[in-house]
Amino acid sequence: MSNNGPQPMEVESHAKLMKNEDFSPELLKIYYEKFFPFLQMFRWLSYRNDPKSASQGVQKDFFQRREFTFVLQGDIFCRYQCFKDLEEYKAKVLERQPIRMEIGAVFSHAPSKHNLISKDAYKPLERELVFDIDMDDYDDIRTCCTGSKLCLKCWTFMKAAIQVLKRALEQDFGFQHILFVYSGRRGVHCWVCDTEARKLSNEQRSAVAEYLTLVSSGAGKCRADLKFHGSDELHPSVEEAYKICKRWFEEPNGILQSQDILRKDLPHLDRILEPFSVTEQQALKKYINEENTTATSMQIWRRLEKIANERKSGDLSSKQRLEAKVLLKDVTIQFTYPRLDINVSKQMNHLLKSPFVVHPKTGRVCVPIDPDSVNGFDPAQVPTIGKLVEELQANDGDVSQTSLKPYLHYFETKFLQHLEKTSTEELRAKTSQMGVLTDF
């Protein structure tokens, strides 16, 4: 580590990123045999629908109707994989050794029989509501890294995205069972697992995704297009999102300072100044060019805020008052709000990479992220399978003494146990309505 802070993590080039022991078929085999949490994954994706249960309220073929996709060495895609139970799930993975696994919807029939079922009859019935946030969509505004590199400065975009999305999903939609997962490379996946979320139609998923979309990426875009929709105030959800964005934008190690977005050799400032009057623009340029020639991005931003506040106190028309209310808020949101790949969210049968698989280009495990402790998550510290195998050998084969332990613990205690409690209550309510007495 240099005196200038943490160095960017390479996530593309095998030669620069990984030692030979970070990823290999031999290491992957050990990982699947010793580390991959087959039981916990089965418990999650079955939602208490145990195929071996004697309860009439349980859908015994529920897990078997879930589609998995295996990606084998050489980028060979094996679609329509499905498993009758935990034992078959584990056996098939150990047999095929996929370098990636993706999870799809629960269908009306077992996916392996899709060719035997008419297209009208074979359809997805439920699937977690999912979101995909990738650093590629921030390339027009991040300045600390380029291409395939990643550092803690640009990871701040992901931290902000996680907390903004979590608030909206919990408070605007009432969802409770939300899992954020590191993609293993440069992004974050979000799984919303409440029954109501899993049952959403494609049209409803599209509506949720559109509701959560406030910004679009693109070179030269510096302000979000915030709408009042006939009101004198922004939508409460936008205001709440802005509060979170403002914190991540303005904090000492936040986006404004770490990306230094207002420095002179970048085009952002001129574009941010476009809605300001000529007089206001001249005042700011005088400050930068004469009064404080070494002004930081934060100092320039504070001066912008001062000019914006002075405008609000003036004699304004109704239209000008509305414009003043979003002045600079639109910039904060544009640079901080999550940039969702909404096509991932819109379709029930869209595949998404499974948690706890290994990214073949980094060797890192796709581990859960605690949204309440995002500052404690560093993608560069996520274990590779090479590191895990070394730790396993150093601890006499004890998986619980490896660096995967805290991620497994979070998945079990903070996500899975709460989800299973709700699933059990829902199944009991269902069986009670059927007039069946049972115990789960």
Side-chain angles (χ1 to χ4, degrees), residues 17 65 73 75 116-117 176 189 282 341 377 428:
L17 167 70
R65 291 186 281 112
Q73 289 282 357
D75 277 343
L116 305 176
I117 309 298
Q176 301 178 44
H189 298 155
Q282 289 174 342
D341 181 351
F377 185 88
R428 281 178 176 158

Side-chain angles (χ1 to χ4, degrees), residues 315-384:
D315 186 16
L316 303 175
S317 66
S318 297
K319 181 182 178 182
Q320 289 172 328
R321 278 197 298 273
L322 292 179
E323 291 172 347
K325 285 182 178 180
V326 299
L327 192 63
L328 297 186
K329 277 187 181 181
D330 53 2
V331 175
T332 300
I333 288 175
Q334 180 66 30
F335 278 85
T336 314
Y337 191 87
R339 300 182 172 199
L340 305 174
D341 181 351
I342 61 174
N343 290 324
V344 172
S345 308
K346 288 182 174 183
Q347 297 295 318
M348 191 184 296
N349 62 353
H350 193 99
L351 296 165
L352 191 65
K353 185 162 51 181
S354 169
F356 291 107
V357 299
V358 179
H359 197 297
K361 289 189 176 180
T362 65
R364 298 189 190 278
V365 180
C366 300
V367 295
I369 300 172
D370 183 351
D372 296 322
S373 303
V374 289
N375 267 331
F377 185 88
D378 180 354
Q381 298 303 313
V382 171
T384 64

